[in-house]
Amino acid sequence: MDFFEHQDKARRNTGLLILYFGLAVLCIFGALFCLASYFLSRDPYTTKIVWDLGLAVQIALGTGLLVGLGSLYKIATLNGGGKVVAESLGGNPIYPGTDDPKEKRLLNIVEEMAIASGTPVPSVYLMEEKSINAFAAGHSPENAVIGVTRGCIDKLNRDQLQGVMAHEFSHILNGDMRMNIRLIGVLHGILLIAGLGYFLMRIAPYLGGGRRNRDSGGLGIALLVTGIGMLAIGYVGAFFGGLIKAAVSRQREFLADASAVQFTRNPQGISGALKKIGGLSEGSRIEAPKANECSHMFFGTSVASLFATHPKIEKRIRRIDPNWKGSFPGSNNQAEHPGTTEFVGAAGFLGDTGKATKSKSKAETETTRPQNAIRSAGNPTQAHVKHARKVITKTSSALLDQVREPFGARCVIFALLLDGVDKVVRDKQFALLLRQTERGSAEETEKASSRLSDLSCEQKFALVEMAAPALTLLSPGQYAAFRNTVEHLVAADNRLDLFEWSLRKVIDHDLGRRFSKRHSQHGSTSIRRLLPDCILVLGTLARHGQNGMAPEPSFNAGISAISRSKTLSLPSVEKCGVAQLNEAVTRLERLTPLEKRSLLEACSRTIDFDGKATEVEVQILRGVAAGISCPLPLVVAGSID
């Protein structure tokens, strides 16, 4: 099952969650109706309205409003995505330019995996907990964050930490995060009944009667009994909440474990992490006050519960390592210290390793073909990680240092947009930087520009993805100013070329959605309804990517993947401009996940037709994938054979 199938299944699971939610609310309504009817039947003035349809309607409306508004309120507070969840659990962001070796190792692993899987590099939060645990949270890959405990980076070696991170990336790619955040909101509404009952119990003594007012005393007793009843009913809601969490979470954990093994090709990594949890006195327990409501998000069981959100750790280990003897290592006094070799050649932490190997393994070559890159979306392998590591290693350490802090990251993006041919336009762009940006930006941009000259297309896009965590630290005002400068740099030559368009799409995908209001990641429209837009995308690829060869054969190869019609013709050159492409891709975001896969496969057929992928084709494919919110592992320009 790939990214697109997982996303489609996640959409269906949302319907299942709504069904569970409805059943829970129905049971709560029934319990409240019985409670109200019982107490009202004891008063001669209210016996006429008990077990009555009118009373049932009133209680149903009250229950629906209370639970519904409670859920909507909680979901609204989580609109900020994974950042809000991480901060509520006591997490603090790890600065991308940190000097701590263990934090560097963690960021290095996350960076490699994000680039390998084609997702924006998520921000990483550290929780000061002694246990070994981690989580991924967010509405979509664009605003995802990863949280880890102090015990996780202290107790695990690189392979084990990589296994845990691969597990969390599986949740990011499989659409589990959105479901998990919605689950927090839904359960908050259900448990609000218990909260209201507790509130009534607290205020009842203050309304208790004295000699002066026996009526208020009766009211106090009534409130106390009602509060106890609502508290009991609230725990019925908690019972259903546990059932819902268990139903949604447990099988997803098995799937994420299996995906982590596929990602790393190292079963001992994730199984070793699970074994260390079993041998640690703190295990995977989380002490943060909000741990219970987020328990279904964690890598390991974070709180004790009647309905476990995770399978037993022994069962998870045996699924990965059938030969396990059943013993856990003593992890309390074990601490892993990153060696210098863990950073060499991984992400430039110790500088460049010198000569990067020029040859690529057959596995790496296969993974970077357009068709294979699309087929592996959401299912990256160790070959993707290895290639991502090589791309990072071949990039100068000075550039890597720049993209890991906000000021330098902005300057690298500006440098990517500088005109490399027309000196007049370039001078105009530098004048604009001097006017619109803070002191030193123009000089830093010029330094970055000199370092970018020899970089390949894939390295440039990788730099944009690596810049995401640093640029996330910008305030909304700073990001708006940065985005405004990007637009002015693009418009300096009064035209928009394909690289500028694709780069802007990637920036909007990786960063824009972190600063904008949450939006739907996928739509419900079929290719048939948006076929003219699909034709335009394939026509643009065929017209601009064939290096002088006739575009019709490659266009026909692509169009055959989405339509059997023999009457579809290649659009004219005039209709295949950047502006028309941008409008088409904007509309194509409304496609369903599976239809998006069909579109990208059609694009890959057009690219692969002549046996090579040109720089222009890679740029268009990258821009289209970003525009329709689909992860795309690195695609290399050059011969496909």
Side-chain angles (χ1 to χ4, degrees), residues 166-200:
H167 176 103
E168 297 309 325
F169 266 92
S170 172
H171 287 310
I172 293 174
L173 293 164
N174 293 345
D176 297 338
M177 295 188 308
R178 181 185 289 263
M179 171 73 75
N180 287 339
I181 279 194
R182 287 175 175 170
L183 192 54
I184 292 175
V186 165
L187 296 182
H188 179 81
I190 292 175
L191 296 175
L192 204 58
I193 300 289
L196 182 59
Y198 180 72
F199 172 74
L200 292 178

Side-chain angles (χ1 to χ4, degrees), residues 311-327:
K312 287 186 176 180
I313 197 167
E314 293 86 356
K315 195 171 184 180
R316 291 175 69 182
I317 294 172
R318 282 205 166 88
R319 283 211 177 186
I320 302 167
D321 182 6
N323 298 320
W324 178 52
K325 303 298 183 182
S327 61

Side-chain angles (χ1 to χ4, degrees), residues 417 461 483 490 495-508 537 540 577-586 616-628:
L417 295 168
F461 283 118
R483 193 66 181 79
V490 169
R495 64 183 180 87
L496 180 67
D497 64 32
L498 285 168
F499 176 74
E500 291 171 337
W501 172 78
S502 58
L503 186 65
R504 194 165 66 175
K505 281 292 182 185
V506 172
I507 291 172
D508 287 343
V537 169
T540 304
V578 178
Q580 294 92 330
L581 176 64
N582 186 61
E583 292 174 2
V585 170
T586 300
V616 171
E617 287 172 331
V618 171
Q619 291 166 15
I620 295 174
L621 183 62
R622 178 66 62 179
V624 171
I628 62 175

